[in-house]
Amino acid sequence: EFSARLPSGALEDLGGLTPKFNEMAAEIESLVARLRSAEKNRIEIIQDIGHDLRHPLASIRVLAETLEGRSEQLSAEQTAEIRELLHRETLEIEDMLEDLLTLASLEDPQLVLESDEVDLLPELEEFVDRYRMIDPTKRFTLEVAIAPRQGFIRTDRRLFFRMLRNAFENSRRFAKSSVTLRVSQAGSTDGVRIEVVDDGEGFSSKALEWFLRR
């Protein structure tokens, strides 16, 4: 019982040690609470990265099957593009595995955030193009309602696109035929609003609450 404390004056016969004993007990309680919180954080982050790993692995499987089953129908340009996508997916997996190894070695696990200036619009064009190659059964569209100069944002590029991919993968999975990525100005601010819209049935309220928490 880490919250237990001695009543005032309990150790008066030992030179008034009650305050010191209670101070030591409070430090131990605080340390145990920090250790439990750190381990909880570690488990949650590792679970999230494990969830994220499924996306590039699934893409690699689809692209590899395309190369194997349709190699004679693909042009040299398409084959080169698929190989480039396979290389990028492999690098993304390497990044996530590096995160897992780092988290496993830290006493208080945290993902280190880096702040980069990202030219968003060409990155999103490439992002949507990748899905057109990965899943030709659905229509993927990018709608842009901002000027190119407004598309520069400061963020952790790696984690930003990992988050965007999670949202996009959910839409792709449940869409009937189309997924649209919309980019617009965030109200009267200088921010950018990004929406992922699909023609599926949508989340239940419980599933939406879980997704937004993550």
Side-chain angles (χ1 to χ4, degrees):
E1 176 53 71
F2 292 105
S3 63
R5 300 291 184 271
L6 289 175
S8 177
L11 297 179
E12 285 301 319
D13 293 343
L14 296 177
L17 289 179
T18 302
K20 290 291 184 183
F21 183 92
N22 285 341
E23 182 181 338
M24 177 185 68
E27 290 178 0
I28 292 173
E29 183 182 21
S30 174
L31 174 61
V32 170
R34 287 202 307 272
L35 288 172
R36 286 174 175 168
S37 175
E39 191 58 27
K40 181 173 178 287
N41 288 341
R42 187 196 312 276
I43 291 171
E44 287 183 352
I45 296 174
I46 287 175
Q47 286 174 337
D48 286 346
I49 295 176
H51 172 271
D52 294 347
L53 272 169
R54 293 187 298 179
H55 300 325
L57 285 171
S59 296
I60 286 174
R61 178 178 56 80
V62 171
L63 292 168
E65 287 174 354
T66 301
L67 275 181
E68 183 179 358
R70 297 176 47 207
S71 58
E72 296 179 358
Q73 305 167 27
L74 298 173
S75 66
E77 183 179 348
Q78 288 173 320
T79 300
E81 187 175 355
I82 290 176
R83 286 176 175 165
E84 172 63 21
L85 285 175
L86 282 169
H87 178 64
R88 290 186 188 182
E89 299 290 6
T90 303
L91 292 179
E92 190 167 342
I93 289 175
E94 286 181 1
D95 282 342
M96 293 185 195
L97 291 176
E98 187 66 32
D99 282 344
L100 285 174
L101 291 173
T102 301
L103 288 167
S105 66
L106 296 178
E107 290 184 7
D108 189 4
Q110 298 289 335
L111 286 178
V112 178
L113 299 179
E114 298 177 0
S115 182
D116 305 314
E117 188 173 64
V118 178
D119 188 0
L120 194 59
L121 299 187
E123 294 257 23
L124 293 181
E125 284 274 10
E126 192 175 315
F127 179 85
V128 173
D129 280 343
R130 185 190 309 185
Y131 275 90
R132 290 176 182 139
M133 177 66 69
I134 291 172
D135 188 355
T137 66
K138 294 186 174 73
R139 185 174 71 257
F140 298 99
T141 308
L142 175 64
E143 295 180 358
V144 178
I146 59 172
R149 60 183 174 78
Q150 295 176 293
F152 286 86
I153 64 171
R154 183 162 290 281
T155 184
D156 186 306
R157 182 190 178 283
R158 215 165 38 100
L159 296 182
F160 171 82
F161 278 99
R162 191 180 295 177
M163 175 183 66
L164 179 62
R165 182 167 187 166
N166 265 323
F168 213 78
E169 281 287 346
N170 275 288
S171 279
R172 182 180 76 87
R173 247 178 95 198
F174 297 107
K176 295 175 182 175
S177 61
S178 66
V179 181
T180 300
L181 186 61
R182 293 177 182 162
V183 186
S184 58
Q185 188 172 350
S188 59
T189 70
D190 293 331
V192 173
R193 179 182 179 87
I194 297 176
E195 298 172 276
V196 182
V197 183
D198 63 73
D199 60 355
E201 295 181 0
F203 280 150
S204 66
S205 57
K206 184 176 181 180
L208 182 62
E209 180 184 350
W210 174 84
F211 179 75
L212 291 176
R213 180 181 62 80
R214 291 169 68 88

